[in-house]
Amino acid sequence: MRVRFIKYEGLGNDFIIVNNMDGMAALEPPQIAFLCNRHFGVGADGLIFIRPPQEKDADFFMEYYNSDGTAAEMCGNGIRCFSRFLWDEKLSDKSRLKIETRAGLKVVDMLVDGEKVTGASVDMGEPVLVPSVIPANYEGENVINKPIVIDGAQINATFVSMGNPHCVIFVDDLKTAPVQTLGPKIETSQYFPQKTNVEFVEVLGRNQISIRVWERGCGETLACGTGACAALVASSLNNKTDRSAVVNLLGGRLVIRWEDDNHVTMAGAANRVFTGSIELQ
């Protein structure tokens, strides 16, 4: 089977996007993992299928997979790239799109400069703080600056879901943060039955933070849109920032706002990298 794709990136968070409106690209998890492998395949942080929506109010369905082939609910950088793909490939000429995801319906406004689309602003929905809904194994109504124990050491953490689970840790120095060692331990800890993304956050001011992300099913990535949203929500809840901030990631910047209606909006770039096709066994 030959798979045709276009690769996009949002702040260095890169994705293989496949137009699967006809349903012909039926890939198994090992095939998805092969495509995302940077040594033997195309190389990407995730793979996205464009599918027809099931919800009548939606324009398209975004079917997202992590680089290890596991399905995930949502991807913030991915949905911006997904929307840019639709515009570039003339699958839609709408400046506002309603995208169905496994985490519900998301509204995307294209960022247009003249006739050129440079990125998108996404209504990421409302953050979820209830542990049983995130899901997380923790007693109480929320986990805001509360202790978790990893390898016998106590760490204060904040749990947030942005359609997928996040564990936010505040650090004094992001450069020396134990992302590669502590990240995978928290990801697979007993607190998160479906694993979790982990954000390490350094606060630079009331309206600016920097983060590094250990992404569930991927490892450390250059950027994570839902992670940036979760980090801003956690920073505001802990009174470290206001409800709007620039979030610096390894791959660039996102502007995140926790609006008065409780919705979180994310604005940032999305870029086409290259097109191609690959033969799968």
Side-chain angles (χ1 to χ4, degrees):
M1 176 175 58
R2 181 164 290 277
V3 177
R4 290 176 171 80
F5 65 88
I6 303 180
K7 185 171 177 178
Y8 278 76
E9 61 85 17
L11 280 64
N13 205 189
D14 55 345
F15 308 96
I16 298 165
I17 305 182
V18 177
N19 183 348
N20 200 21
M21 292 293 286
D22 59 7
M24 295 300 291
L27 302 183
E28 298 296 326
Q31 294 174 308
I32 294 172
F34 169 78
L35 286 171
C36 292
N37 188 289
R38 298 189 184 279
H39 300 287
F40 298 102
V42 177
D45 291 323
L47 182 142
I48 306 172
F49 288 125
I50 294 177
R51 298 287 301 275
Q54 294 181 339
E55 294 189 22
K56 64 178 181 179
D57 292 333
D59 296 304
F60 296 91
F61 175 65
M62 172 180 157
E63 185 178 357
Y64 181 75
Y65 293 90
N66 295 317
S67 61
D68 63 357
T70 57
E73 301 89 344
M74 241 294 287
C75 176
N77 288 319
I79 198 170
R80 293 201 319 278
C81 291
F82 179 97
S83 302
R84 175 76 188 268
F85 180 105
L86 296 175
W87 185 280
D88 290 346
E89 293 300 295
K90 297 180 170 53
L91 295 177
S92 174
D93 60 0
K94 293 182 178 181
S95 59
R96 168 167 287 190
L97 291 161
K98 295 180 180 179
I99 307 299
E100 182 184 355
T101 74
R102 294 189 182 99
L105 194 67
K106 307 297 179 185
V107 178
V108 181
D109 289 303
M110 307 306 297
L111 302 179
V112 182
D113 183 6
E115 296 183 356
K116 182 180 178 182
V117 171
T118 59
S121 176
V122 185
D123 181 344
M124 300 291 287
E126 300 184 53
V128 174
L129 305 177
V130 180
S132 61
V133 182
I134 288 175
N137 297 317
Y138 208 104
E139 295 294 329
E141 296 181 356
N142 57 57
V143 183
I144 301 173
N145 195 34
K146 292 183 180 179
I148 60 174
V149 178
I150 304 294
D151 279 356
Q154 182 172 297
I155 305 163
N156 281 7
T158 299
F159 295 177
V160 181
S161 172
M162 289 304 309
N164 54 358
H166 295 269
C167 178
V168 181
I169 309 291
F170 292 98
V171 298
D172 294 328
D173 185 354
L174 201 58
K175 292 180 180 178
T176 60
V179 179
Q180 299 285 340
T181 54
L182 187 57
K185 292 179 181 179
I186 296 176
E187 175 197 3
T188 58
S189 70
Q190 73 274 16
Y191 296 102
F192 298 97
Q194 297 178 12
K195 300 185 181 180
T196 190
N197 305 281
V198 187
E199 284 74 43
F200 296 81
V201 181
E202 180 181 348
V203 178
L204 304 179
R206 295 297 300 181
N207 299 107
Q208 187 167 191
I209 60 175
S210 291
I211 72 171
R212 290 172 63 186
V213 182
W214 181 267
E215 195 164 342
R216 178 182 60 170
C218 296
E220 185 172 10
T221 56
L222 292 177
C224 176
T226 57
C229 294
L232 182 277
V233 169
S235 298
S236 179
L237 288 171
N238 285 280
N239 196 29
K240 294 179 180 293
T241 66
D242 298 333
R243 291 171 66 98
S244 174
V246 171
V247 179
N248 302 294
L249 302 107
L250 296 179
R253 291 183 169 190
L254 291 171
V255 177
I256 310 296
R257 301 180 188 276
W258 190 5
E259 309 286 0
D260 292 338
D261 64 0
N262 200 37
H263 284 233
V264 179
T265 60
M266 171 195 65
N271 299 297
R272 186 177 182 130
V273 181
F274 62 84
T275 65
S277 65
I278 187 169
E279 190 73 31
L280 293 178
Q281 300 298 323

